[in-house]
């Protein structure tokens, strides 16, 4: 029994000490839900992007990046996004219950160049009622299936 206890203690020390010293823990991501209002965009850098949806002519959308909203909410970004943080997802819900999901890494320019915009304007005017007041726009996606209209909430969750 003493040998077993000694062996377990030795394995614990040997396996945790070097790794912990070389790989500091990634910040955890707390599950939270953001109710989207005009204050959600307030004070964040504004971005414009031209995008085309289905057969409609191209339009200029304006708003803030989803990544900027997540950063304000305390979600790790860049070099701090690793380990458990890479299991985090963002679920966007519309007023009609439609939902779409993104990984947190998809929203981070340190991981890719994809723009995910929470827009509140189209061609310089507030979004039309059927689209807004807030809408997700992803110009680089071939299908606009995640261009969710009438955004109500942004939920940050960790997948186990």
């Amino acid at each position: 029994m003493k040998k077993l206890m000694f062996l377990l203690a030795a394995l614990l020390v040997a396996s945790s000490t070097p790794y912990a010293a070389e790989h500091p823990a990634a910040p955890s991501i707390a599950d939270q839900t953001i109710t989207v209002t005009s204050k959600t965009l307030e004070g964040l850098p504004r971005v414009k992007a031209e995008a085309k949806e289905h057969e409609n002519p191209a339009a200029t959308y304006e708003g803030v990046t989803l990544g900027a909203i997540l950063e304000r909410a305390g979600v790790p970004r860049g070099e701090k996004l690793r380990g458990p943080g890479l299991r985090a997802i963002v679920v966007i819900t519309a007023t009609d219950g439609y939902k779409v999901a993104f990984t947190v890494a998809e929203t981070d320019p340190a991981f890719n160049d994809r723009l995910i915009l929470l827009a509140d304007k189209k061609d310089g005017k507030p979004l039309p009622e059927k689209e807004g007041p807030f809408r997700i726009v992803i110009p680089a996606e071939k299908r606009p299936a995640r261009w969710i209209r009438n955004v109500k909430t942004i939920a940050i969750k960790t997948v186990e």
Side-chain angles (χ1 to χ4, degrees), residues 39-117:
K39 289 190 181 240
T40 307
L41 285 69
E42 207 170 79
L44 294 174
R46 306 269 313 164
V47 176
K48 290 183 181 181
E50 189 170 306
K52 184 174 175 3
E53 178 186 22
H54 298 297
E55 300 304 316
N56 298 324
T60 301
Y61 290 90
E62 183 180 339
V64 302
T65 65
L66 181 57
I69 294 167
L70 298 178
E71 185 172 8
R72 178 189 274 169
V75 174
R77 316 289 291 153
E79 291 297 320
K80 293 179 183 175
L81 180 56
R82 62 181 182 276
L86 293 172
R87 293 193 324 258
I89 61 168
V90 180
V91 179
I92 312 288
T93 303
T95 54
D96 66 358
Y98 186 74
K99 295 180 181 186
V100 298
F102 300 92
T103 64
V104 168
E106 282 182 279
T107 72
D108 190 334
F111 282 82
N112 68 67
D113 294 327
R114 176 177 290 158
L115 173 66
I116 302 172
L117 185 67

